[in-house]
Amino acid sequence: GKTEFVRAMLRSATATPALEVPSPTFTLVQSYDTPCGTVHHFDLWRLTGPDGLVIRVDDTQKRLGDLFVHVGTVEAGTVRVGMPVVAAVDYVRRTAIRAHHSATHLLHAALRARLGNHVAQKGSLNAPDRLRFDVSQPTPITREDLAVVEAEVNARIRENSPVQTRLMTPEAAVAEGAMALFGEKYGDEVRVVSMGDGSYSVELCGGTHVRRTGDIGLFRVVGEGAVSAGVRRVEAVTGAAALASVVEGDRRLNEVAGLLKASPAEVAERVAQLVEDRRRLERQVSDLQRKLATGAATAEVETVAGVTLAARNLGDVPPRDLKGMAEAIGKQIGNGVAAVVSTLDGKLSIVVGVFGDQVGRVNAVDLVRAASTATGGAGGGGRPELAQAGGPDATQATAALDAIRAKLAT
């Protein structure tokens, strides 16, 4: 580990010269790690010191420019200002973080190459088990673009080129093509990290990285979405986490293939056929429901205040089919009003159509609004010839049709 000296300690924002077990969480002022516009899951495991001192470090934060502090708890011994402590790192955790961090640099370069130079880093997280990378991008990143970017990053990983670091002035670094983060403050000397043959990625960065790109192992995109207006987030995994993602994907694919009694290569074709079969069956069911509804409705017409009315509760018919059914009934009755309701999923849907010589005499909007009001709905709308409304309670279907009869009778 690396020996450091405790510069200061804060507990509840108050300076304290010493802390011992049991201690609440406190802040220890030191200098250890240097992020590069990136939020790391810092990999300090503990700080140890004289007389059995052990401090569990829970977080590392950047404060007051270049000052880095550790937030932790004294688990054994006593810590005092000026005491030497040794920083012990969890090697496995740090190795995973390095891989994800270096992968974000390659991802950044690949996104710019594919989408354009408008792509710029807006935020990043590098954890042992994943990375997320926020970039300026006005539209969603397509699956095709993500596949190309993923393939490009993996190609750079397979090159196994060395990751090079150099110290220079900010001006010299930018002159050599290094990407600097907008809004980030840099000192008189910066660290430039280059990776990939031909300096594929060159950025100002003080964070921890792999020695060669091949150390990343494998890169796999697992998600993409919006963060805010003009900012998209790419989520990915590397190394062992990427391999685990591939294994899990294969397991799920084989499970689906087993259910379909097909090989993994045939899954997409079989699923597409099932989707088409479902659509065909839905169309057939809809046609049968329409025929049943129109046949029954024309057999059950009534006259209300001199107006022919075909009123029908169609049960679990999808609400989107009600207009077509009302129009089909209207053709059957010729002149009059068709009122149909659906009770699918416990909700009430109402459609009223006015046909033939009743157009201009009877207003469909008035009728559906009367039905909606009577059943606890919020009104309805449409055209005088065809209107629709809804209600929260499917058990009120009879009340809805009765309200339409009452409105016609007035």
Side-chain angles (χ1 to χ4, degrees):
K2 182 179 179 181
T3 300
E4 301 278 356
F5 289 89
V6 178
R7 298 184 184 181
M9 294 185 296
L10 301 174
R11 184 174 64 184
S12 301
T14 302
T16 182
L19 280 172
E20 59 185 13
V21 177
S23 83
T25 299
F26 74 102
T27 301
L28 183 147
V29 180
Q30 238 183 326
S31 176
Y32 185 75
D33 239 333
T34 310
C36 61
T38 297
V39 177
H40 288 286
H41 273 214
F42 282 98
D43 49 3
L44 268 177
W45 175 37
R46 63 179 183 173
L47 298 172
T48 59
D51 302 323
L53 171 66
V54 177
I55 301 172
R56 185 189 75 243
V57 178
D58 302 313
D59 192 16
T60 301
Q61 301 173 359
K62 185 177 181 181
R63 301 283 182 85
L64 302 177
D66 294 331
L67 185 65
F68 291 85
V69 299
H70 300 316
V71 179
T73 304
V74 177
E75 293 189 333
T78 301
V79 59
R80 296 180 178 84
V81 174
M83 177 180 287
V85 291
V86 177
V89 174
D90 184 334
Y91 177 77
V92 174
R93 179 182 172 86
R94 162 159 282 204
T95 299
I97 291 174
R98 281 174 173 161
H100 283 110
H101 187 193
S102 296
T104 62
H105 283 230
L106 295 178
L107 173 60
H108 194 183
L111 286 169
R112 287 171 62 87
R114 179 66 179 179
L115 303 178
N117 291 335
H118 66 278
V119 173
Q121 178 178 339
K122 295 299 182 182
S124 179
L125 169 69
N126 296 309
D129 59 341
R130 71 191 189 283
L131 70 85
R132 69 173 186 239
F133 193 61
D134 300 342
V135 294
S136 53
Q137 167 66 14
T139 59
I141 305 174
T142 66
R143 291 184 180 180
E144 178 183 359
D145 286 336
L146 288 173
V148 170
V149 167
E150 182 180 271
E152 173 66 15
V153 172
N154 279 309
R156 298 295 173 172
I157 290 172
R158 291 193 300 272
E159 287 176 354
N160 197 29
S161 58
V163 176
Q164 301 176 337
T165 60
R166 294 172 294 163
L167 296 177
M168 59 182 68
T169 64
E171 294 76 17
V174 173
E176 289 196 13
M179 282 191 290
L181 297 179
F182 180 78
E184 186 76 7
K185 295 180 179 179
Y186 298 100
D188 296 333
E189 188 176 63
V190 294
R191 183 167 174 255
V192 180
V193 178
S194 305
M195 60 183 74
D197 288 346
S199 297
Y200 178 72
S201 168
V202 184
E203 294 192 33
L204 303 184
C205 181
T208 183
H209 285 280
V210 298
R211 294 180 181 273
R212 304 184 71 91
T213 58
D215 296 340
I216 298 171
L218 178 66
F219 175 82
R220 182 177 172 89
V221 175
V222 296
E224 188 277 342
V227 177
S228 60
V231 178
R232 306 296 297 184
R233 171 170 292 170
V234 177
E235 297 178 278
V237 288
T238 69
L243 180 59
S245 176
V246 172
V247 170
E248 176 62 14
D250 284 346
R251 185 193 66 78
R252 292 181 179 180
L253 177 60
N254 287 323
E255 183 178 359
V256 172
L259 293 173
L260 296 173
K261 293 181 171 54
S263 68
E266 297 170 330
V267 165
E269 181 181 351
R270 292 293 297 274
V271 170
Q273 184 61 52
L274 287 173
V275 171
E276 180 55 35
D277 289 346
R278 180 188 176 103
R279 289 172 179 167
R280 177 174 51 81
L281 290 172
E282 287 177 344
R283 288 194 296 269
Q284 291 176 353
V285 170
S286 180
D287 289 341
L288 289 171
Q289 288 175 330
R290 183 178 293 109
K291 291 177 181 178
L292 289 172
T294 55
T298 52
E300 298 177 6
V301 295
E302 56 190 284
T303 301
V304 179
V307 178
T308 299
L309 171 66
R312 178 75 171 171
N313 178 358
L314 300 180
D316 290 338
V317 169
R320 65 176 180 272
D321 294 338
L322 289 181
K323 285 186 177 181
M325 291 184 176
E327 290 174 340
I329 293 171
K331 290 180 181 179
Q332 294 287 332
I333 63 177
N335 303 309
V337 174
V340 291
V341 298
S342 165
T343 57
L344 185 66
D345 296 331
K347 296 182 179 179
L348 186 64
S349 298
I350 310 158
V351 169
V352 173
V354 179
F355 306 96
D357 60 10
Q358 295 302 315
V359 174
R361 299 179 181 178
V362 178
N363 190 315
V365 176
D366 292 341
L367 296 180
V368 294
R369 286 179 177 172
S372 179
T373 300
T375 56
R383 308 190 312 273
E385 301 83 18
L386 188 65
Q388 62 182 359
D393 187 359
T395 64
Q396 297 296 309
T398 300
L401 295 176
D402 287 342
I404 291 171
R405 293 185 178 97
K407 184 65 177 178
L408 276 175
T410 58

